[in-house]
Every structure is written in structure tokens, then in C-alpha cells.
Amino acid sequence: MSVWQVLGIGEGFVRSGKVDSFELSGFVQAPSAREAASRALSIAKQQVAELTQMNEAAQRWPLINWNEIQEADALALSPGQLDKVELHWASDAA
């Protein structure tokens, strides 16, 4: 199993009555890049209720574009960084 650094941009999520976007990043352990994206999303869904809006398969929005998924050096990470993701809403940055 490899360690992956992930970076995704979420768009079209309704939060506090407004459509919003976010950046999701972190380090996860998974056998492949595709499964790393799935693992990162699963971890984030446990922390952020708005991500459950993606459950409707027929719906085009909201979505996450995975801008970067690359293998990372597990030895360079502290134990607290693995299988953790951060999510920052675009409206929070202002």
C-alpha cells in the first residue's frame, strides 16, 4: 500500500444557503491513485456533512476535480499526517 498526496477542488456544494467551493488536501494510504481519491473523500465526508450532497448519481453537481494525486514519501510524514485531510471553503478565505 502506498501513501498519496491528494489535492481536489470541490464545486457546486450548497452551504448555508449558498453555492460554494472548497479545496481538499491531505495524505492518505491506498493501493492506487484512484482509491486514494476515494479514501480522501470518505475521510472528508465524516467531517463535513455538505459532502453527502454527492450521493445522487444522476446529479451533475456538485463535483470534485482531483487536480493532483501523487505518491508521497511516507518516511517524510509525521504519524499524525497520514489518513488526514483538510477542507477549506472558498468563502472562508475572504
Side-chain angles (χ1 to χ4, degrees), residues 89-94:
W89 291 98
S91 60
D92 290 345

Side-chain angles (χ1 to χ4, degrees), residues 8-21:
I9 305 297
E11 299 177 19
F13 288 82
V14 177
R15 184 173 89 119
S16 301
K18 293 190 241 178
V19 177
D20 211 344
S21 60

Side-chain angles (χ1 to χ4, degrees), residues 18-83:
K18 293 190 241 178
V19 177
D20 211 344
S21 60
F22 61 81
E23 179 179 285
L24 174 68
S25 62
F27 295 93
V28 296
Q29 211 170 4
S32 69
R34 182 180 181 161
E35 290 180 54
S38 178
R39 174 95 174 115
L41 182 57
S42 176
I43 292 168
K45 280 182 177 181
Q46 294 173 20
Q47 302 167 12
V48 181
E50 288 87 354
L51 297 187
T52 60
Q53 295 171 34
M54 293 182 66
N55 289 346
E56 293 185 31
Q59 190 174 348
R60 181 174 176 217
W61 290 89
L63 59 85
I64 297 178
N65 292 309
W66 294 101
N67 293 6
E68 185 175 331
I69 302 175
Q70 63 182 12
E71 278 193 84
D73 182 4
L75 298 176
L77 299 174
S78 67
Q81 288 180 288
L82 189 57
D83 286 336

